[in-house]
Amino acid sequence: MVMEASMIVVDNSEWMRNGDYSPTRLVAQNEAVNLIFSSKTQSNPENTVGLMTAAGKGPEVLVTLTTDVGKILSALHAVKAGGKPSFLTSVQIAQLALKHRQNRNQRQRIIVFVASPIDADEKALVKLAKKLKKNNVAVDVINFGEEAENTSRLEAFINNVNNSDNSHLVTIPPGPHLLSDMLISTPIVAGEDGGAGGAGSASNDFEFGIDPSLDPELALALRISLEEEKARQEAEKAKNEGGSSSSNNNENNTQEASSSSMTIDPTAENDEDAELQAALAMSMNDNNMPQDEDEQMEDSNEDEALQRALEMSMQDGNYEDEEMMSAVLGSLPGVDKNDERIQKALEDMDKNKKDEKK
């Protein structure tokens, strides 16, 4: 868009206390001013916007032409409703402020909010309109609040100041809608080439699906986040492409290592099996050896006890009675008198005794 220097004239009269526009006319107007400032500065970074009031003690310039939204918002916050507006005087002061703009290549535009009855007649308005047209000053008028009374005179004013469709009159009746929302689809916000249809199509093409004029800080944060994400992805892509060859070498080395490990695995498993079997055999031998020794010791003890008993019986000769011998053998610990060896020994003793008697 072309470079513009715009002066916004706000209505701060007593009529701005009315609540027919949510929440009040004054607050709705402040939101609309913020929207217009954002749309102007974002359409061209060299655009500048100023702010002035039309009522109070008299028309007053609050902020000269600037690109700093903070100054505009601070000035709006200090605006109080009171007094009667002067449409003719405020527009003439706005023209003088534009005349002293620093960049002469900027086109001149005055944006006037009218929410109270206009004190001038149609003849005076037409005269001022022709003067503005002669000086190449475009005028946009936002008519709300007292639109029934002001529309006819404002139409005459716009018709005489309009030059190649550079000036516009927007009339917004009261209702549940927001004043700033109704302005989005108008040429005042969408631009001279936008119109209602152009603004509608542009609203569908907003980046991130958010109108930057409504929330410029959010739109800026999203844009910065998107740029950082793109830079991160590009750096990661370049890093991956640069390390593709090394990664291929690493994959080949990994495959070779895996194949070599696969050939070694059977040997390792055989070694493990052999070690396991050896350990198992050793444990079995360890478990068996004490048991065999114990059995041998028990057998030897029994044999020794049996031998001693037999020797005692043979030496004494007092135990000729077989029943007595059986009782003595049964009283010995670990001796079973029914054992085959004991029975055989008794039989041998009887046999020897018989031989001796013969």
Side-chain angles (χ1 to χ4, degrees):
M1 296 180 66
V2 298
M3 291 186 297
E4 281 188 345
S6 304
M7 282 297 298
I8 300 177
V9 182
V10 296
D11 191 341
N12 62 327
S13 62
E14 292 289 347
W15 283 265
M16 301 303 292
R17 302 181 189 274
N18 293 343
D20 48 354
Y21 293 82
S22 179
T24 62
R25 292 184 184 182
L26 184 62
V27 176
Q29 176 182 252
N30 292 345
E31 295 175 352
V33 170
N34 186 22
L35 170 64
I36 294 173
F37 179 88
S38 300
S39 66
K40 294 296 183 182
T41 54
Q42 290 177 9
S43 62
N44 193 322
E46 296 187 20
N47 286 352
T48 56
V49 181
L51 181 69
M52 64 172 294
T53 57
K57 296 180 180 180
E60 179 184 2
V61 176
L62 301 179
V63 181
T64 56
L65 297 174
T66 182
T67 57
D68 187 358
V69 66
K71 294 181 179 180
I72 300 294
L73 295 178
S74 298
L76 285 175
H77 182 71
V79 172
K80 304 298 181 183
K84 294 181 179 181
S86 176
F87 181 86
L88 295 177
T89 305
S90 59
V91 171
Q92 289 174 349
I93 294 176
Q95 180 190 2
L96 291 175
L98 293 174
K99 185 177 181 180
H100 293 87
R101 66 192 184 282
Q102 294 181 352
N103 188 352
R104 294 294 177 178
N105 293 325
Q106 292 175 325
R107 294 185 181 181
Q108 304 173 80
R109 181 176 297 274
I110 300 174
I111 303 173
V112 187
F113 285 85
V114 178
S116 57
I118 297 177
D119 56 352
D121 56 12
E122 186 174 337
K123 184 178 180 179
L125 293 173
V126 170
K127 181 179 179 180
L128 177 61
K130 291 180 179 179
K131 180 181 178 181
L132 294 172
K133 183 178 181 179
K134 182 179 179 180
N135 293 318
N136 296 320
V137 178
V139 180
D140 292 329
V141 177
I142 302 170
N143 180 26
F144 69 106
E146 305 295 329
E147 68 278 358
E149 182 178 351
N150 296 331
T151 301
S152 59
R153 281 180 285 181
L154 289 175
E155 287 178 350
F157 175 79
I158 292 297
N159 291 334
N160 285 274
V161 75
N162 192 14
N163 184 11
S164 301
D165 198 25
N166 66 343
S167 300
H168 310 91
L169 171 64
V170 176
T171 301
I172 302 176
H177 48 261
L178 296 177
L179 183 63
S180 56
D181 291 345
M182 299 301 293
L183 287 175
I184 293 176
S185 59
T186 63
I188 297 176
V189 174
E192 296 180 6
D193 299 332
S201 62
S203 62
N204 295 328
D205 298 333
F206 285 139
E207 191 176 13
F208 314 112
I210 297 175
D211 185 2
S213 61
L214 295 179
D215 197 342
E217 294 181 356
L218 176 60
L220 178 61
L222 292 174
R223 189 177 297 107
I224 293 174
S225 177
L226 178 62
E227 292 176 356
E228 291 178 351
E229 180 64 20
K230 288 181 179 179
R232 186 190 68 80
Q233 291 179 357
E234 291 177 356
E236 185 177 357
K237 183 179 180 181
K239 182 179 180 181
N240 293 335
E241 291 177 354
S244 60
S245 58
S246 60
S247 63
N248 292 333
N249 295 332
N250 293 333
E251 290 178 358
N252 295 332
N253 295 333
T254 304
Q255 291 177 357
E256 294 176 358
S258 62
S259 61
S260 61
S261 62
M262 289 176 64
T263 57
I264 294 172
D265 286 341
T267 306
E269 290 178 358
N270 294 333
D271 294 341
E272 291 179 358
D273 293 340
E275 293 177 359
L276 181 60
Q277 291 177 0
L280 181 60
M282 292 175 63
S283 64
M284 292 177 65
N285 293 332
D286 294 340
N287 293 332
N288 292 333
M289 289 177 62
Q291 185 176 358
D292 295 340
E293 292 177 357
D294 293 341
E295 290 178 355
Q296 292 176 2
M297 291 177 66
E298 290 178 359
D299 293 342
S300 62
N301 292 334
E302 290 178 359
D303 293 341
E304 291 176 358
L306 180 60
Q307 187 67 28
R308 286 196 302 271
L310 291 176
E311 290 178 355
M312 289 174 64
S313 63
M314 292 176 65
Q315 291 176 0
D316 294 341
N318 297 329
Y319 299 99
E320 295 179 356
D321 189 2
E322 184 177 357
E323 294 180 357
M324 179 67 69
M325 182 62 67
S326 299
V328 171
L329 293 174
S331 63
L332 294 175
V335 178
D336 186 6
K337 65 180 181 178
N338 295 323
D339 191 271
E340 293 180 355
R341 292 173 294 178
I342 294 176
Q343 294 296 329
K344 184 177 180 182
L346 292 175
E347 291 177 357
D348 293 339
M349 288 176 62
D350 293 339
K351 185 177 180 180
N352 292 333
K353 289 180 179 181
K354 291 178 180 179
D355 294 338
E356 290 177 357
K357 288 179 180 182
K358 290 180 180 180

